[in-house]
Amino acid sequence: MASLGSPPPLIVWDPPVDDLESEALRHLIGWWHASMAEADGPPPPEMVDPLALRPALGSVSLLDVLDDGREFQIRLHGSDVGNTLGMDMTGMKVGEMTVPFMAFLIVTYRAQLLRPEPLLLRYTPAMEFFLSAWWRIGLPLMRDGKVVRLLIGMERAPRQPEL
């Protein structure tokens, strides 16, 4: 991120719900913890219920894990996120995106395959990319002991100072 002129990202494993500034992201992590208690571990994709996630639906994206984590495909792209970015990325493969900081996101997705816990990120792309700063929480969904999908919640964040 520094080589792109962006400030260092914030990276927090399993953040406390009360530490999240976004109401939508607090709702998502609360749902994940409740589902984890019910499933006795990270919830399977089948537990994702749009009605239960309704307060955060526009901020939610679902990423399928492909080829043991070598690639990820956006199964669903939240409408609020899509409106902010000016495009719906449903169906796109993450590795095919040309955003310079995508490598950073791919590394965090892969980290969640190894450590299936909530992961909170705050990152600010350099101004030259004309993109918003974001809060992002990744929530792993598992089947047969493997993360098979990531539920990603995203909300715009205040920009951090440039380097």
Side-chain angles (χ1 to χ4, degrees):
M1 296 294 279
S3 68
L4 298 173
S6 298
L10 170 74
I11 301 172
V12 180
W13 285 101
D14 201 14
V17 175
D18 294 337
D19 286 358
L20 301 177
E21 294 180 18
S22 162
E23 185 176 326
L25 299 189
R26 281 194 306 270
H27 181 80
L28 290 174
I29 197 170
W31 169 85
W32 190 86
H33 282 295
S35 297
M36 190 170 124
E38 186 179 330
D40 197 29
E46 297 77 27
M47 286 186 77
V48 175
D49 177 3
L51 294 177
L53 300 178
R54 190 174 183 162
L57 270 185
S59 300
V60 168
S61 292
L62 292 170
L63 275 67
D64 287 334
V65 177
L66 304 178
D67 198 18
D68 291 323
R70 288 178 191 80
E71 182 61 275
F72 300 86
Q73 185 166 21
I74 301 173
R75 179 183 196 85
L76 170 78
H77 194 238
S79 59
D80 292 346
V81 178
N83 290 338
T84 299
L85 295 175
M87 66 185 301
D88 179 5
M89 294 192 281
T90 300
M92 293 178 78
K93 290 186 178 177
V94 174
E96 297 170 349
M97 296 179 187
T98 58
V99 178
F101 57 87
M102 196 52 65
F104 164 72
L105 295 177
I106 290 171
V107 167
T108 65
Y109 299 154
R110 288 179 179 161
Q112 286 193 277
L113 302 183
L114 300 173
R115 186 175 173 176
E117 299 175 17
L119 179 60
L120 176 69
L121 306 173
R122 177 187 173 179
Y123 58 94
T124 300
M127 279 301 289
E128 68 185 88
F129 301 114
F130 302 106
L131 296 173
S132 300
W134 293 94
W135 285 111
R136 176 186 293 254
I137 190 135
L139 304 169
L141 304 173
M142 296 182 76
R143 186 181 303 115
D144 300 325
K146 288 176 59 175
V147 177
V148 294
R149 190 169 293 154
L150 294 170
L151 187 154
I152 307 290
M154 292 177 61
E155 287 275 315
R156 289 179 73 169
R159 288 190 64 83
Q160 298 163 278
E162 299 286 323
L163 290 176

